[in-house]
Amino acid sequence: MRILLVEDEPLAQKRIKSIVSQNFSDWKVIDSVQSVREFRSKLENISNYDLILCDIHLADGLSFKAFAGMADLKIPVIFITAYDEYALQSFDHNCLDYVLKPIDEQRLVKALQKAQKFNPNSKTTSLDQSFINNIVKHYTSKSYKKRFLTKLGNKFVFIPVENVAYFYAEEGLTYLVEIGSSVRYVIDHSLSELESDLLDPLKFYRINRSMIIHLDGLVEIKPYLNGRLALAMNAKSEDALVVARERVNEFKSWINQ
């Protein structure tokens, strides 16, 4: 199986290639591209490939745009995305499969096994132009929060999202804790709002009911009681930062993306 990998994150590229090589020894990623422009160029020689593994959001736009103007695509496409709230039901009928980030190895393997059984004459697995045009029209690039405005004493300050170590909820309030200084600020968003709409899921992860951590603030991971994990962050915490047991496997996949 000759694979074209469309992915602009080096760590994700490395993980995908590793999963492919470990589970399908005779398959090979023969080309990797990181932009819509590069992807469109490769599609001009589509006969070079048997399968496309395709991230949705690339540095220069949506990967769907590379398909614009093409005849119906009779090659299996597996989409990879961090966003599962929009248009994925449509994918069920217009691509071979989709895999959510952080990438779970078994989920990707299952999708790749579908590629082994791909029928190029199947109407339910081809990407037709009406589907592509509809997605490009309605699927907007996700925009995440860049800073948080909060009050410190009698003045307002803003904290860039890059400076956040973690968020936590306590007694009905949500706090932001700053990397390094460990100063905490009250913010006007719930953890659910932060998790679902405001934070990049490749950078932030909800480790339990009351805490979301920032990958850039993570210093150390240690085994903890009852199969859980204890985290050390680049900011002080009065309580242990513990990954809930039911989230441990997903957390490991997130770290290893």
Side-chain angles (χ1 to χ4, degrees):
M1 186 78 74
R2 302 166 300 169
I3 300 172
L4 171 60
L5 176 57
V6 184
E7 172 60 68
D8 64 349
E9 298 168 10
L11 288 177
Q13 275 197 21
K14 183 177 179 180
R15 177 158 173 75
I16 292 167
K17 289 178 180 179
S18 175
I19 291 172
V20 170
S21 65
Q22 290 176 15
N23 292 276
F24 303 87
S25 58
D26 57 339
W27 293 22
K28 186 176 181 181
V29 176
I30 62 173
D31 278 315
S32 299
V33 297
Q34 302 183 33
S35 68
V36 175
R37 179 181 57 81
E38 292 176 317
F39 186 23
R40 186 178 293 116
S41 175
K42 295 299 181 182
L43 288 177
E44 293 176 0
N45 297 293
I46 192 63
S47 61
N48 292 341
Y49 312 106
D50 304 306
L51 171 65
I52 299 174
L53 300 180
C54 188
D55 193 4
I56 290 177
H57 286 87
L58 302 176
D60 59 345
L62 297 176
S63 59
F64 294 113
K65 294 180 179 179
F67 296 111
M70 293 187 63
D72 289 357
L73 192 67
K74 295 297 184 180
I75 179 174
V77 179
I78 297 172
F79 285 108
I80 298 171
T81 176
Y83 317 112
D84 61 344
E85 297 299 325
Y86 192 93
L88 294 187
Q89 289 184 349
S90 296
F91 291 177
D92 288 339
H93 303 287
N94 292 277
C95 75
L96 188 66
D97 206 347
Y98 63 86
V99 176
L100 299 179
K101 292 182 177 179
I103 297 169
D104 177 79
E105 179 172 354
Q106 292 307 310
R107 180 67 184 86
L108 179 56
V109 168
K110 182 179 178 181
L112 294 172
Q113 288 171 340
K114 285 187 179 181
Q116 289 180 308
K117 305 173 183 178
F118 177 72
N119 176 5
N121 296 316
S122 172
K123 294 182 180 180
T124 61
T125 52
S126 64
L127 284 170
D128 58 49
Q129 279 300 304
S130 62
F131 168 70
I132 294 168
N133 293 339
N134 184 62
I135 290 296
V136 170
K137 180 180 179 180
H138 293 99
Y139 195 117
T140 57
S141 295
K142 185 74 173 178
S143 178
Y144 296 109
K145 199 162 181 63
K146 296 179 174 61
R147 63 191 65 84
F148 290 87
L149 181 67
T150 186
K151 193 173 183 181
L152 184 64
N154 60 357
K155 63 180 180 179
F156 287 96
V157 297
F158 68 86
I159 309 299
V161 71
E162 294 83 4
N163 293 356
V164 177
Y166 59 91
F167 300 90
Y168 73 96
E170 184 178 79
E171 297 182 352
L173 296 176
T174 305
Y175 296 91
L176 173 163
V177 178
E178 194 172 23
I179 286 177
S181 73
S182 301
V183 175
R184 72 175 191 171
Y185 305 87
V186 176
I187 60 172
D188 294 326
H189 301 285
S190 68
L191 291 186
S192 294
E193 289 173 338
L194 293 171
E195 181 184 26
S196 62
D197 295 320
L198 303 178
L199 299 176
D200 184 346
L202 298 179
K203 287 287 188 178
F204 290 87
Y205 185 83
R206 189 167 183 172
I207 61 172
N208 55 47
R209 283 186 176 184
S210 59
M211 187 169 293
I212 296 174
I213 69 160
H214 187 187
L215 180 59
D216 291 350
L218 182 59
V219 175
E220 188 177 58
I221 306 172
K222 290 183 177 180
Y224 196 64
L225 300 173
N226 299 321
R228 295 175 292 172
L229 298 173
L231 310 181
M233 305 294 295
N234 189 11
K236 295 179 182 178
S237 173
E238 295 180 0
D239 300 315
L241 279 63
V242 178
V243 181
R245 184 169 56 183
E246 66 273 14
R247 291 177 176 259
V248 166
N249 289 337
E250 186 180 78
F251 176 75
K252 289 179 178 178
S253 296
W254 177 72
I255 289 291
N256 198 34
Q257 63 191 305

